[in-house]
Amino acid sequence: MSIDEVENQQHNGLVQPATNLVEKLVKAKDKKKSKKSKRMFDGSTEAFAKKIPKKTFETELEQLQIELVKMQYWIKHTGYRVVVIFEGRDAAGKGGVIKRIADPLNPRGCRVVALGTPSDREKTQWYFQRYVQHLPTAGEIVLFDRSWYNRAGVERVMGFCTEAEYEEFMQSCPEFERMLVRSGIVLIKYWFSVSDDEQEKRFLSRSHDPARRWKLSPMDLESRDRWVEYSKAKDTMFAYTNIPEAPWFTIEADDKRRARLNCIHHLLSKVPYEDMTPPPLDLPSRPVAEDYVRAPRNEQFFVPQVY
C-alpha cells in the first residue's frame, strides 16, 4: 500500500492517522515479552537456520547479479518478455529483493512498477486495465512491487472492494493470467512469507529510523491487528490463483539475505538464458583537440567541495 493510498484512505475516514506510531509499536512489543508468539511462516512450520554472514551474502549476490546481466542480454536479444510479481506481508522484504535485481540491470530494459491509488477515471475501468499498460514489450523485464493481487489481499481484508468485485476478481484473475502466458509472457509470482515476530522487529526498526520511516504507514498497523484475516485471504487467493501456467512460489523471508539470494537464484532458473554478454570494447586513443581551449574556471559555477 503506497503513501498516496494511505493518505486517500485517511481523507475518506477509512483509517485513523497514527500520531503515536512508535509508541503503539513499542507497547505492542512489550505485551509480547510475556508470551512469545507462536505464529510461524505462512505455510511453513520450520524456522530458518543460522543467518548468512554479510561477507558470504555480498560474494554470492555479486555472482548472481552478474548472471542477471547475462540474462538481460539474452532477453533483449531474443525478445523474451518477463513479468515478475512480488507479493507478501508488509515488511516482508519485497522492496529489498527488487532493488537487488534491478540495480545491475539496464533500466531501459528493466522496469519497476509500483502503482499508487487509482484515479477516479481508473476506478471506472476494467480492474486489470491499468496494469495492462505496464506489461513488457519484446526484450523487457517488468517487476511489479505489488500488483493486481491488491484486490485479493488488502482490499479484501480492509473492505476497500465489494463482495461482488472480490468474487469477480477471483474468477477473472486465473483467466487473465492464462491469457498473458498464452501471449508469450513469462509470468513468475513470488509470495514473501515473514513471521509475526520478525515483522514486528522490522516495524520497530523503521519507526526509529528517520530515513526509512516513510515505509511505515497506518495501514501497516492495521495489518498487524488483522494477521489472521490476511492469512485467510492469502490462503483463499492461493486456492484460486495457484494455476499450472503461473504458480505461486513462496519465499521464507525472515532472513533477508537468504531470501534475496534464494529469490534471485530461482528467478534465474526460470529463464532459459545463455551467456550473450558482448566482448569488451577496444577503446582507441582519444584524438588530441589542438584547436580547443577550455573556458576559464572563474566563468563557471562549481558545487562547493564540502566533503
Side-chain angles (χ1 to χ4, degrees), residues 65 68-73 76 101-112 139-143:
Q65 288 183 327
L68 284 172
V69 173
K70 295 178 183 178
M71 182 186 74
Q72 187 179 36
Y73 274 118
K76 181 179 180 181
I101 294 173
D103 272 352
L105 301 183
N106 186 339
R108 294 183 179 88
C110 177
R111 292 185 287 113
V112 178
E140 273 193 322
I141 305 168
V142 174
L143 310 176

Side-chain angles (χ1 to χ4, degrees), residues 3-4 31 66 72 99 107 140 147 153 181 200 211 218 239 249 277:
I3 292 175
D4 291 338
K31 291 180 180 179
I66 291 173
Q72 187 179 36
K99 176 178 172 59
E140 273 193 322
S147 64
V181 174
E200 194 80 354
F249 297 101
T277 308

Side-chain angles (χ1 to χ4, degrees), residues 54-64:
K54 183 177 181 181
K55 186 175 181 180
T56 302
F57 166 73
E58 291 175 345
T59 300
E60 294 295 326
L61 178 62
E62 182 180 4
Q63 294 303 312
L64 290 173

Side-chain angles (χ1 to χ4, degrees), residues 5-243:
E5 291 176 80
V6 172
E7 290 176 347
N8 183 57
Q9 289 154 9
Q10 288 179 352
H11 178 71
N12 293 329
L14 295 174
V15 295
Q16 296 299 319
T19 56
N20 297 313
L21 191 58
V22 175
E23 290 81 354
K24 289 182 179 180
L25 285 170
V26 171
K27 289 179 180 178
K29 190 68 176 179
D30 291 338
K31 291 180 180 179
K32 288 192 173 185
K33 288 182 179 178
S34 59
K35 183 177 181 181
K36 187 176 180 180
S37 173
K38 295 182 180 179
R39 294 166 180 164
M40 298 298 289
F41 309 110
D42 296 340
S44 174
T45 58
E46 296 181 0
F48 282 121
K50 185 178 179 180
K51 291 189 176 182
I52 296 178
K54 183 177 181 181
K55 186 175 181 180
T56 302
F57 166 73
E58 291 175 345
T59 300
E60 294 295 326
L61 178 62
E62 182 180 4
Q63 294 303 312
L64 290 173
Q65 288 183 327
I66 291 173
E67 293 301 313
L68 284 172
V69 173
K70 295 178 183 178
M71 182 186 74
Q72 187 179 36
Y73 274 118
W74 182 85
I75 287 175
K76 181 179 180 181
H77 178 79
T78 60
Y80 221 59
R81 293 177 293 164
V82 180
V83 171
V84 188
I85 288 176
F86 297 86
E87 294 286 347
R89 293 189 184 274
D90 296 315
K94 301 179 294 298
V97 174
I98 292 172
K99 176 178 172 59
R100 271 65 182 186
I101 294 173
D103 272 352
L105 301 183
N106 186 339
R108 294 183 179 88
C110 177
R111 292 185 287 113
V112 178
V113 178
L115 302 183
T117 305
S119 65
D120 291 339
R121 183 172 183 272
E122 288 174 330
K123 290 177 182 178
T124 66
Q125 295 174 344
W126 176 47
Y127 178 72
F128 296 98
Q129 190 166 335
R130 73 184 190 126
Y131 296 99
V132 169
Q133 60 185 317
H134 296 285
L135 294 175
T137 57
E140 273 193 322
I141 305 168
V142 174
L143 310 176
F144 277 95
D145 186 353
R146 296 201 181 277
S147 64
W148 45 84
Y149 282 101
N150 277 336
R151 175 140 295 177
V154 63
E155 290 189 18
R156 168 64 169 174
V157 175
M158 301 303 299
F160 297 154
C161 66
T162 66
E163 186 68 24
E165 289 172 334
Y166 171 76
E167 294 293 340
E168 174 60 29
F169 172 82
M170 299 302 270
Q171 295 297 327
S172 298
C173 184
E175 293 304 318
F176 172 68
E177 293 181 353
R178 290 189 183 100
M179 290 171 60
L180 297 183
V181 174
R182 285 199 302 270
S183 74
I185 291 176
V186 176
L187 178 60
I188 305 170
K189 304 185 299 192
Y190 291 117
W191 176 269
F192 283 74
S193 177
V194 65
S195 67
D196 192 3
D197 287 339
E198 181 61 25
Q199 185 189 55
E200 194 80 354
K201 291 178 184 177
R202 294 178 186 179
F203 281 170
L204 281 167
S205 175
R206 290 178 178 183
S207 68
H208 289 293
D209 185 350
R212 298 192 306 137
R213 197 169 295 156
W214 61 269
K215 291 186 176 183
L216 194 59
S217 70
M219 195 59 59
D220 294 326
L221 292 181
E222 291 288 336
S223 70
R224 291 169 65 254
D225 296 336
R226 305 191 185 204
W227 181 279
V228 175
E229 289 88 339
Y230 271 97
S231 295
K232 292 179 179 178
K234 172 254 185 182
D235 291 341
T236 304
M237 180 185 77
F238 270 35
Y240 276 86
T241 64
N242 189 32
I243 58 177

